[in-house]
Every structure is written in C-alpha cells, then in structure tokens.
C-alpha cells in the first residue's frame, strides 16, 4: 500500500484528510501532536483510490517524537468503527477497533512519493518527504491490518443460498429446503443389492 498524491487537487468534500504538521519537529527536533476525527478517508490500493468508511466518526491522537538522524517515532491511539461486510451474507457490519499506534518514520526529501518500507529486521518504516504528513494511508493500513480475519454479523449467520442468493437468515428458499427423498421402493431395491445402502437412509433429517 502506498500513499496517495497530495489530495489538494482532487479535494472531495465528503472525504477527510487527517494530517500532521512536522515542520517544527524537522526544524527544532520538538514533538508534534495532533488529534481529530474522520469518517471517510482515501488511500491507494493496487494503484486505485479506495475509500475506508467508519459508521461513526473515528477518533485519533497522534504524537511524533524526533529520534536520531532523520527518524521519528509515531505513537498514539486510533478508535474506529469500520464498515465491513459479513463474510457469509454480505450485510454491512460495524467492526469496532481500538488500536495503539507505534511506527517508525524516516524523512527523506529525495523520494517522490511517500511509501512503506520493511527493513532487514522486518520492521515497517514510513518514508515521507514532506513536512505535512498525510495520515490517511497510515490509518487505513493500520485499520485494515487490525480487522479480524473472519467478520460475521452474527456467529450463527446462515449465509446466502448458493443457487439463488436468498439471504437464509430472512427465510429459506426451495434450494435450501430440498432434501433428496428416495422413494421407498428404490430404497428396498437398493437394499437388496447392497445391504449397506439402507444405512444411507440415516442421513435424512430427523423430521
Ligand atoms: Zn451474516
Ligand atoms: Zn435458493
């Protein structure tokens, strides 16, 4: 995942652009802090603009502390309810996340676009090139990584019918109810040929 271009030229009033001013941190090696809220943020995924939406405003607190050389430590807190789809029935689900932030930043004015790098030890470093650091891609990445692997609107979600797409939580459909009932004569016939075939009858539902 990479950072989008500075969004000023494509400013969309429905999208929030959280950022932090690091000019003093870069100049005087002093801490920078910002807090705020967002509901919709934009980020780039596979070079396409993607939107991450929260069901109510997400709250963030970010502190950037200068370290040695051109490196900074970003810490803070991010609380958000992210809209996702139930993995089985696709209805929207608000997933509540409360995440502690902690990431290394490195200032490099020579890079064209900010990006996320992994050092030899596997630690992630955000390389940034501007004293105004866009936080959207960082927040989006942090939230997406923080999501549980399997999201269900209800642990007992019945999902969708594979044939007609009916939401089986609402009602059953003919496909779901269709239980293969073998006529009695055929069962007896099969039982004569193969005594074990009769046991297949035990697979039928109890009703
Ligand atoms: Zn569901
Ligand atoms: Zn169906």
């Amino acid at each position: 995942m990479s950072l989008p271009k500075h969004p000023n030229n494509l400013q969309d009033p429905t999208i929030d652009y959280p950022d932090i001013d690091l000019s003093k941190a870069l100049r005087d090696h002093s801490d920078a802090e910002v807090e705020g809220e967002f509901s919709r943020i934009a980020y780039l995924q596979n070079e396409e603009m993607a939107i991450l939406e929260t069901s109510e405003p997400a709250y963030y607190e970010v502190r950037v502390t200068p370290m040695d050389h051109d490196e900074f430590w970003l810490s803070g807190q991010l609380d958000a309810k992210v809209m996702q789809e139930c993995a089985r029935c696709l209805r929207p689900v608000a997933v509540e996340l409360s995440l502690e932030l902690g990431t290394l930043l490195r200032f490099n004015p020579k890079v064209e676009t900010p990006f996320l790098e992994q050092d030899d030890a596997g630690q992630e470093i955000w390389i940034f090139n501007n004293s105004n650091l866009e936080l959207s891609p960082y927040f989006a990445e942090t939230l997406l990584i923080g999501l549980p692997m399997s999201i269900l609107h209800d642990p007992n979600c019945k999902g969708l019918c594979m044939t007609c797409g009916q939401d089986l939580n609402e009602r059953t459909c003919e496909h779901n109810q269709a239980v293969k009932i073998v006529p009695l004569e055929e069962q007896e016939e099969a039982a004569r040929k193969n005594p074990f075939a009769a046991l297949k009858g035990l697979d039928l539902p109890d009703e």
Side-chain angles (χ1 to χ4, degrees):
M1 191 179 293
S2 57
L3 291 145
K5 298 247 158 53
H6 197 276
N8 277 346
N9 52 346
L10 45 102
Q11 201 95 13
D12 176 337
T14 69
I15 297 178
D16 301 308
Y17 298 100
D19 58 8
I20 184 167
D21 180 5
L22 297 182
S23 50
K24 270 188 78 178
L26 283 162
R27 199 175 55 231
D28 310 333
H29 274 247
S30 59
D31 283 12
E33 276 177 344
V34 71
E35 63 176 314
E37 291 183 340
F38 64 84
S39 302
R40 275 161 67 83
I41 50 175
Y43 62 101
L44 283 183
Q45 194 168 39
N46 304 324
E47 317 217 338
E48 301 246 331
M49 174 86 83
I51 301 287
L52 189 139
E53 197 163 357
T54 62
S55 64
E56 49 191 77
Y59 173 75
Y60 62 89
E61 267 176 23
V62 169
R63 171 186 286 259
V64 173
T65 308
M67 295 167 65
D68 287 342
H69 309 296
D70 288 327
E71 293 188 343
F72 301 80
W73 182 251
L74 184 156
S75 59
Q77 181 72 28
L78 177 57
D79 299 314
K81 275 190 184 173
V82 182
M83 294 314 293
Q84 292 287 300
E85 282 178 345
C86 172
R88 289 185 198 151
C89 72
L90 309 181
R91 72 180 68 181
V93 189
V95 181
E96 198 164 353
L97 295 168
S98 182
L99 303 169
E100 209 172 299
L101 306 176
T103 301
L104 198 59
L105 305 174
R106 183 183 296 143
F107 179 62
N108 182 352
K110 287 179 195 145
V111 300
E112 236 174 76
T113 322
F115 63 98
L116 185 64
E117 187 180 77
Q118 239 178 27
D119 70 8
D120 298 339
Q123 189 182 30
E124 291 190 328
I125 305 177
W126 279 96
I127 314 292
F128 68 104
N129 60 355
N130 193 303
S131 59
N132 189 51
L133 179 68
E134 295 284 333
L135 293 170
S136 296
Y138 174 67
F139 286 159
E141 157 119 3
T142 305
L143 290 170
L144 294 174
I145 289 175
L147 286 172
M149 293 293 278
S150 171
I151 295 162
L152 296 175
H153 88 276
D154 181 302
N156 298 316
C157 174
K158 297 191 181 89
L160 304 176
C161 170
M162 301 283 276
T163 308
C164 70
Q166 168 63 41
D167 185 340
L168 300 172
N169 299 295
E170 286 166 1
R171 60 177 180 84
T172 52
C173 61
E174 48 180 6
H175 314 104
N176 190 44
Q177 279 185 324
V179 174
K180 216 178 176 186
I181 296 169
V182 182
L184 194 61
E185 313 87 77
E186 276 184 45
Q187 281 187 40
E188 289 171 343
E189 173 69 22
R192 264 196 301 278
K193 287 179 185 161
N194 176 7
F196 294 110
L199 295 175
K200 281 181 185 166
L202 296 174
D203 287 338
L204 290 169
D206 296 335
E207 25 179 329

